[in-house]
Amino acid sequence: MRSPGDELEHLRSQSLFRQLRTLDSPQAVRVEVDGRSLDNFSSNDYLALADHPLIKQAFKTGIDQFGVGSGASRLVCGTLRPHQDLENAVAELKSAQAALTFSSGFATAHGLVCSLMTKGDTIVLDKLAHACLIDAARLSGATIRVFPHNDLNKLGKILRAVNSARPADARVLIITESIFSMDGDAAPLAGIIALKKEFDALLLLDEAHAFGILGPGGAGLARQLGVQNEVDFQMGTFSKALGLSGGYVACTRDFRDLFINRARSFIYSTAPSPALAHATTFAIGLIQSKEGDALRERLRRNVQTLADALGKSPPPAGIFPLIIGDEYAALDAARQLLEKGFLVPAIRFPTVPRGTARLRITLSAAHTSDQIQSLGKCID
Ligand SMILES: *Cc1c(COP(=O)(O)O)cnc(C)c1O
């Protein structure tokens, strides 16, 4: 029988071994690690809300009014008023009939895809879709087809081929992200919607890295383009720009009811803390306020500053990948930046395909221009 030591040694030999790093400070653009103060360019806390005084206060108010725990799964007796308020706030922000929340984005993806899809159905996935979407697709038992990243031509061909042998009640579900988590680019959403209509498919759009950042009030890419009514499932997470945790889907009332009845990650898991739900509703109000607009503007300016420093064009949201290729070289580049006081992660297989290892720089509204300029100088 193989030992864990052998497996770990194998990972080390390929520069794929990973380990945890503990922060001794709140999540912020400067963090304390091993007694050092580092400039943090690795967090998804794009709007610097993870340690926001008003959201922390809302969390405390939520504890005082509703307690710390939910006591049961949502269907048993774990649905408290803050859960319902949060779902109303998400539905309104997304201009959808209804919304349902989960304990994480990961659990949302599993709940949705496995509720909707089964043997005989077909899932058509962008090649760079997040691991939780891929795993959910596999678990559902549906047939999986993968199209090259953002390739509308290939997506159309796959949809046409699937339709030529499609039973009347079989579902076809296209899955993509609005901003890709490791590449930072946007999906060609208008083109995907044209295809989903032409071939009578459903569309699941993972807005994880666009929620809070793009569109009016930070509602996401679908709202930015005004196509939210054409996206069957606007899913996302409260764990990135909202600085909290938990996942959501905005959809029709019927689909919400279906998920409540079928989604195993919803049914067989204790409801998230009501205090967290209360704080999340507050954070949704904050991103829709003038302060939210100001934070998004500051993030955009910071992205432009780094783009100028690196002589590149600015990406559409807060993610700046610098592709290096070799896994060891990427680790080495991250190590050199760490020595200079910058926390920038090397992203490697299996998070990205082999041979496409990269530095993934993420920007926050709270970075100072000086921090960004200094990072730019160390990378050039
Ligand atoms: C982070 C992420 C998720 C998972 O969300 P969590 O709330 O962190 O579980 C899902 N999809 C994408 C694209 C992500 O980047």
Side-chain angles (χ1 to χ4, degrees), residues 104-107 130 132-133 177 181 206 208-209 235 237 239-240 246-247:
S104 70
F106 198 100
H130 192 266
C132 69
L133 299 164
E177 296 176 25
S181 61
D206 185 345
H209 296 275
M235 77 157 263
T237 172
S239 66
K240 310 252 155 91

